[in-house]
Amino acid sequence: MPEQLAIDPAGLPQRFRRLCHDLALVRDRNYSATLAEELQQRVLAVHQYIYGAAKPEGNALLSFFAGDLPVLVRGEWRVVVAAMLLLLGPLLAMLMAIQVWPDAAFLLLSPDTVSEIEEMYSPAAPHFGRPRTASSEWAMWAFYIGHNVRIDFQSFAGGIAFGLGTVFYLLYNGLYIGAIAGHLTQIGLVETFWGFVAGHSAFELTGAVLAGAAGLKLGMALLAPGLRTRLVALQENGRVAVRLLYGAAALTFLAAFIEAFWSPLRGLPLAVKIAVGCAFWLLTGAYLLLAGRRSRAT
């Protein structure tokens, strides 16, 4: 994209309206994602030029997280909603099922795993949520990053198997998390467990959903390439998927930091931790639903 717009200022408003019309037409007729992205970048560049808000290249990362990412998530709402249902649906179903049938937890959790998580969230545990092998908060931060990145990458890479891998990992992780949450709730460790997970759950689960959406986007390129070849569709959808994965990675790092340093804190009432967790969920939802709208106003 040229750094300066070689356009007569007198004719700029009319050209800008025509460009916006072209972008709307491309989206309405489901033309190439590459073409739509190129037109969107041109619209944003002209908008910034008109209103004197052009930014140096060094602000590209800030611009991505400030507006481009939530705009992308809203534009890809179908795969995002599908990933959310595949993850959270089984999670909630398993959590509730265990309250009625406690032994359902052992369908997914081994006795050793059950014993370990009970020890980690016991009121007598020296550090909530920390396995015995971890020596400090920084060690736990590194552990959480590695663990969550692995889960996110599995969901993303599973898309290359026509989306089946992504569907499997989303369903399995939802059931597994639901089994842990349901078992600890059923045996009465409500305050320690829910107090621990409340703070970081919004960022961790949203990151997992975006990684799953990225995998589904890859799978759709192979299952329904449309008029494109599968290779072209994979290349085009892959550009979108990778940007969704960037968002998932950022949320995962943030969740790991909160999980290591805030979540294990003792002495805070459960109501405070739940309130903070709810605030993070509201902020995450508001960010994804509202951020970036002004930058696209025409």
Side-chain angles (χ1 to χ4, degrees):
M1 187 181 300
E3 294 183 359
Q4 295 183 346
L5 298 170
I7 300 176
D8 178 11
L12 188 56
Q14 292 80 7
R15 291 171 181 259
F16 184 45
R17 286 194 294 271
R18 189 182 308 165
L19 185 60
C20 292
H21 173 74
D22 291 343
L23 176 59
L25 191 64
V26 165
R27 287 178 172 166
D28 182 63
R29 296 183 178 178
N30 292 320
Y31 287 162
S32 164
T34 302
L35 176 60
E37 184 175 358
E38 174 66 21
L39 285 175
Q40 177 179 325
Q41 293 301 322
R42 293 188 180 187
V43 168
L44 290 174
V46 176
H47 181 273
Q48 292 172 342
Y49 179 84
I50 292 174
Y51 292 98
K55 300 178 181 178
E57 290 295 327
N59 286 337
L61 188 63
L62 177 61
S63 175
F64 175 73
F65 287 109
D68 293 350
L69 175 60
V71 168
L72 177 66
V73 169
R74 293 194 295 271
E76 300 297 332
W77 68 269
R78 292 175 179 82
V79 288
V80 172
V81 170
M84 180 178 66
L85 294 176
L86 288 169
L87 179 69
L88 299 186
L91 189 161
L92 294 174
M94 179 60 77
L95 192 159
M96 292 184 290
I98 291 175
Q99 309 316 302
V100 179
W101 180 33
D103 287 345
F106 292 94
L107 296 175
L108 286 166
L109 306 176
S110 68
D112 289 341
T113 300
V114 170
S115 177
E116 182 180 357
I117 62 173
E118 288 179 359
E119 181 181 348
M120 288 167 57
Y121 295 101
S122 167
H127 302 282
F128 294 142
R130 181 189 297 184
R132 286 172 292 183
T133 54
S135 58
S136 67
E137 287 82 1
W138 289 106
M140 284 310 302
W141 184 50
F143 171 80
Y144 292 138
I145 289 176
H147 179 264
N148 294 339
V149 164
R150 177 178 59 82
I151 291 175
D152 289 352
F153 186 76
Q154 286 175 336
S155 296
F156 168 69
I160 204 66
F162 293 86
L164 295 177
T166 299
V167 171
F168 169 79
Y169 282 116
L170 287 171
L171 289 174
Y172 175 78
N173 287 319
L175 290 170
Y176 190 84
I177 296 170
I180 292 175
H183 176 72
L184 293 176
T185 300
Q186 195 274 329
I187 64 173
L189 298 180
V190 173
E191 183 168 353
T192 53
F193 174 72
W194 290 105
F196 179 84
V197 302
H200 62 270
S201 60
F203 305 122
E204 184 174 301
L205 293 178
T206 304
V209 166
L210 292 187
L216 293 177
K217 190 69 177 177
L218 294 181
M220 289 301 298
L222 300 173
L223 287 173
L227 299 178
R228 305 167 293 177
T229 66
R230 282 191 168 87
L231 179 59
V232 171
L234 189 61
Q235 290 172 339
E236 294 178 351
N237 284 20
R239 295 188 188 100
V240 177
V242 167
R243 297 177 72 199
L244 287 170
L245 193 63
Y246 290 159
L251 289 168
T252 295
F253 273 77
L254 180 57
F257 186 84
I258 295 172
E259 189 172 3
F261 294 98
W262 162 264
S263 298
L265 290 180
R266 293 178 178 272
L268 292 174
L270 176 63
V272 172
K273 287 197 167 185
I274 295 296
V276 170
C278 290
F280 283 152
W281 274 106
L282 289 174
L283 287 172
T284 303
Y287 166 69
L288 293 177
L289 292 174
L290 302 176
R293 291 187 180 274
R294 287 189 60 188
S295 65
R296 299 187 62 188
T298 57

